[in-house]
Amino acid sequence: MTTEGPVAELDDVTFGYTTTPVVEDISLRIEQGEYAAIVGPNGSGKSTLMRLILGLLEPDSGSARLFGEPAHRFDEGSRVGYVAQQASASKEMPITVREVVKMGRFPHVGYGLLSASDWEVVDRALDVVGMSAFADRPVTQLSGGQRQRAFIARALAGEADLLVLDEPTVGVDAESVDAFYALLETLNDDGITVLLVEHDLRAVTDHAERVVCLNRRLRFDGPTEEFVDSDALAETFGTAVSAVGESG
Amino acid sequence: MTKSLAFIVAQSSPLDAVLAPVYWLLAQWSEFMFDVARWTGLGLLQYQYMHRAVLVGLCIGVMAPLIGTFLVHRQLALIGDALAHTAFAGVAVGLFLNAVLDFGVSPYLTAIIVAMIAALSIELISEVTDAYNDVSMAIVLSTGFALGTTLISLNAGGLSVGIDQYLFGNLATVSRENAAILLVLFAVIVGTIALTRNQLLYVTFDETAAEVAGIPVNWYNRTMVVLTALVVVGAMQIMGVILVAAMLVVPVAGAAQVSRSFTGSLLSSVVLAELAVVVGIGLSYYGEATAGGVIVLVAVAIYVACIVLGRLRTALGEESAAETARIDASGADSKAEPTTD
């Protein structure tokens, strides 16, 4: 499903869990089909910004809109797929990959049963992420990378237009990380908007088209190649990581 | 059948009139149990109170692990204990009202009300503080038990006599009215879980993703704790306050050892709980022991057996897992370039 206008839009957003703002005066627009990454050092407010974009938090001031609606009142949940850090989903719960992917259909079916066409969507999502062979395997028996693929499949099963990932490769082995980002690029090529919150600057500079750099306030917002050459990188992260710019 | 229904409707209490169809069901169940007793020669099924106890036990064996599965996988196993102790306070309130004001209300009904209030309080506290925590549950648990013991001590002469059945449960004291209340609770609990299974699963597995998907997480969390309160009060008749939480947790923990899927774990936990209930009631009847304790001991024995079975399966499956790992490694390249339809 596509609509006119930006996927997400923040206008002068300020938010704090206490009286001290965690993010301040943030304005940005995520357009359809973009592959954007939010970066920043620990405590910079990037996960909070993501939660504001998703409508999980309401701004103290300013406005956050998702698909044109106030984000905290946005109710077309199936349009947004969310993938958390794999560490947060590592519960020892007996559940198969297919059961996880099936959850993507829940916003569509409500209290009802999945129809044959719903199951087709689930199977197709499993196929897209290369997890069909693992469909009946318990999630607890998967590697970190496989598990994150299963969560992406859940978002695809929901037929999401926007895929939001919060540090998805934490705890994922290096080999799987490359394959994971290749998958994200493929999905983005297919028209899905990808918004990534990432601590791994090299992954961002290698894959994302746009970087939003944050340290409470917006430090940079523009194409990745400009970020690599900008002062924002060194100013926000210190000189130690400027090597990313040279190699990236 | 018509005669028994007419008799039931003629009962004086308004609650009896409401429960009339359930009493009819209980009468049918009892007739069936008498038939089973004749066919099998089982002595314990020759008494009507045992028919009610078996039915209540079977219902507990379904509803406790059903809701317990969602609680255990959210690391909320202790909430059952906290609510059981507040339900005890509810029983004490009922006994107190009956003794002081001559209300004639079933203590199980007051237990339902008090436990539901406590359940919603725990949930609202967790919503405000953004976390369930051991401290708030310990406080609710202690407050419930303290309130119960205080109310009982105020009327020590009349009340302490009958309190054991609530603390430890009793097969023989499952009255027709209490069995009927439990059947109504059973229908509400199983019906609600069947209706909201998708949402409860999503919220249990990944609360943030569920919220992003537009599922009103707080609403389903409240539903979950209120259902837990109802299960606890329903199961209290046989299990007693002290052991009731075990039926929410032990069969679920056993099922988690031997199940690969969520649906499988739900079904296995019900099967394991029913096994514990049937064997436990049988052993307690013939061994003249307290049913609640025996049922929990049987459930724990089944849990231990499940652990052994789970370990055996893991050991036997290690070879095939190693084989799969090799397939994974060789398939990594193909997964790097997934195909799209």
Side-chain angles (χ1 to χ4, degrees), chain A residues 104-166:
Chain A
R105 299 306 298 165
F106 288 171
H108 297 270
V109 300
Y111 298 121
L113 297 168
L114 267 67
S115 66
S117 61
D118 288 316
W119 283 113
E120 276 173 27
V121 175
V122 169
D123 288 340
R124 203 158 51 238
L126 282 163
D127 187 40
V128 169
V129 302
M131 289 293 287
S132 295
F134 301 88
D136 295 318
R137 184 172 292 196
V139 170
T140 49
Q141 289 180 13
L142 300 180
S143 69
Q146 290 167 340
R147 203 175 290 200
Q148 294 302 65
R149 282 168 176 273
F151 291 134
I152 288 188
R154 180 177 66 188
L156 297 181
E159 295 172 295
D161 301 316
L162 168 65
L163 189 56
V164 179
L165 307 100
D166 187 5

Side-chain angles (χ1 to χ4, degrees), chain B residues 2 5 17 25 33 79 89 96 104-105 115 157 160 167 170 182 210 221 253 315 337-338:
Chain B
T2 318
L5 195 58
L25 278 176
M33 283 287 102
I79 203 169
F96 184 80
V105 63
S160 58
L167 284 176
N170 194 331
L182 181 117
N221 281 338
E337 293 174 3

Side-chain angles (χ1 to χ4, degrees), chain A residues 92-116:
Chain A
E92 291 298 309
M93 181 169 163
I95 188 164
T96 62
V97 171
R98 195 188 300 277
E99 285 178 317
V100 169
V101 178
K102 184 179 82 168
M103 290 181 205
R105 299 306 298 165
F106 288 171
H108 297 270
V109 300
Y111 298 121
L113 297 168
L114 267 67
S115 66

Side-chain angles (χ1 to χ4, degrees), chain A residues 23 26 39-41 44-46 49 212-218 236:
Chain A
V23 292
I26 307 284
V39 299
S44 59
K46 54 187 187 295
L49 185 67
V212 175
C213 180
L214 189 75
N215 197 357
R216 191 163 61 97
R217 288 171 176 272
L218 210 56
T236 313

Side-chain angles (χ1 to χ4, degrees), chain A residues 128-210:
Chain A
V128 169
V129 302
M131 289 293 287
S132 295
F134 301 88
D136 295 318
R137 184 172 292 196
V139 170
T140 49
Q141 289 180 13
L142 300 180
S143 69
Q146 290 167 340
R147 203 175 290 200
Q148 294 302 65
R149 282 168 176 273
F151 291 134
I152 288 188
R154 180 177 66 188
L156 297 181
E159 295 172 295
D161 301 316
L162 168 65
L163 189 56
V164 179
L165 307 100
D166 187 5
E167 303 198 22
T169 55
V170 170
V172 175
D173 60 280
E175 273 181 46
S176 304
V177 167
D178 289 339
F180 183 81
Y181 281 111
L183 170 62
L184 287 188
E185 274 180 22
T186 308
L187 297 175
N188 183 241
D189 291 343
D190 288 346
I192 294 177
T193 309
V194 176
L195 180 60
L196 186 66
V197 173
E198 188 52 274
H199 69 290
D200 181 353
L201 282 178
R202 190 176 300 277
V204 169
T205 53
D206 284 352
H207 300 285
E209 295 163 354
R210 173 183 170 189

Side-chain angles (χ1 to χ4, degrees), chain B residues 275-295:
Chain B
L275 194 61
V277 164
V278 171
V279 174
I281 287 181
L283 288 178
S284 71
Y285 176 82
Y286 290 109
E288 296 181 14
T290 310
V294 179
I295 291 171

